[in-house]
Amino acid sequence: MTDQASPVGSQPSRLEGKPTSASRTTLSHIMTGSDTNLLGTVHGGVIMKLVDDAAGAVAGRHSGGPAVTASMDEMVFLEPVRVGDLVHVKAQVNWTGRSSMEVGVRVLAERWNESTPATQVGSAYLVFAAVDADGKPRPVPPVIPETERDQRRYQEAQIRRTHRLARRRAIKELREKRAAEGMED
């Protein structure tokens, strides 16, 4: 193994980096009547599970072992999904830290029996933590962006991480202040 720093000035790692394409994947599924909500469209939770499944596969592939969902940063539903839609969930690692990874996911849908192009119906960003057999964090290889689009996604993921950490810090400070003032949550 070689000492290789991940792109854009992240901390050095002892693990050799992996290109974005090494773990990119697509999960496809036909939506059926059992996937519907009370409005007759596909339940958002069904789509979220597919998103988590695809992202988890990508995180496990990239890290070379088990990875668990740490957070879902954002899930956007752009269009409803209907029974009979063939849903494609495309996922890739956008950014890596020491033991965590951001996985970006695009959700597309097309009618199963038509030859029209798929339409983007959703997107999400999830953070996964690589874990060992005892459930403790383990290091992940740096991701190596291969294209301009991959590089943009890497930079945007760093911005989302900065915002996540700042939000977490601000909430912790507010709770500590309230506790010091004798206020209960």
Side-chain angles (χ1 to χ4, degrees):
M1 294 198 190
T2 62
D3 250 27
Q4 180 174 336
S6 61
V8 195
S10 186
Q11 293 189 4
S13 171
R14 290 191 190 146
L15 298 174
E16 189 169 330
K18 289 185 177 180
T20 306
S21 62
S23 58
R24 187 179 289 142
T25 195
T26 300
L27 177 111
S28 297
H29 190 78
I30 294 178
M31 298 291 105
T32 66
S34 64
D35 299 319
T36 60
N37 59 26
L38 296 175
L39 298 175
T41 56
V42 173
H43 195 289
V46 170
I47 300 299
M48 290 173 77
K49 182 178 183 331
L50 293 173
V51 164
D52 191 46
D53 287 347
V58 166
R61 279 178 160 186
H62 183 83
S63 68
V68 296
T69 311
S71 70
M72 181 176 277
D73 213 25
E74 185 176 314
M75 178 76 213
V76 178
F77 296 100
L78 302 169
E79 299 282 336
V81 176
R82 301 171 295 158
V83 170
D85 281 352
L86 178 58
V87 172
H88 307 286
V89 183
K90 298 177 177 278
Q92 74 171 50
V93 173
N94 289 336
W95 175 90
T96 53
R98 284 186 304 269
S99 61
S100 64
M101 302 157 273
E102 183 195 88
V103 179
V105 181
R106 288 180 51 225
V107 183
L108 303 134
E110 61 181 305
R111 294 306 293 168
W112 70 274
N113 60 347
E114 297 175 9
S115 60
T116 56
T119 303
Q120 185 170 352
V121 295
S123 65
Y125 299 103
L126 296 88
V127 176
F128 279 79
V131 295
D132 63 18
D134 297 321
K136 303 290 184 206
R138 63 180 176 79
V140 298
V143 67
I144 303 169
E146 298 174 280
T147 66
E148 286 296 319
R149 175 181 265 181
D150 293 342
Q151 187 64 36
R152 175 188 53 79
R153 288 178 175 159
Y154 186 94
Q155 292 168 335
E156 290 172 357
Q158 286 182 305
I159 292 168
R160 281 186 293 275
R161 180 177 187 272
T162 299
H163 286 270
R164 267 193 312 276
L165 294 174
R167 183 177 61 237
R168 187 180 303 151
R169 200 169 33 254
I171 290 170
K172 181 180 177 188
E173 290 169 3
L174 178 63
R175 288 181 178 172
E176 288 170 353
K177 180 182 175 201
R178 291 178 56 87
E181 294 170 353
M183 301 175 133
E184 297 257 347
D185 281 341

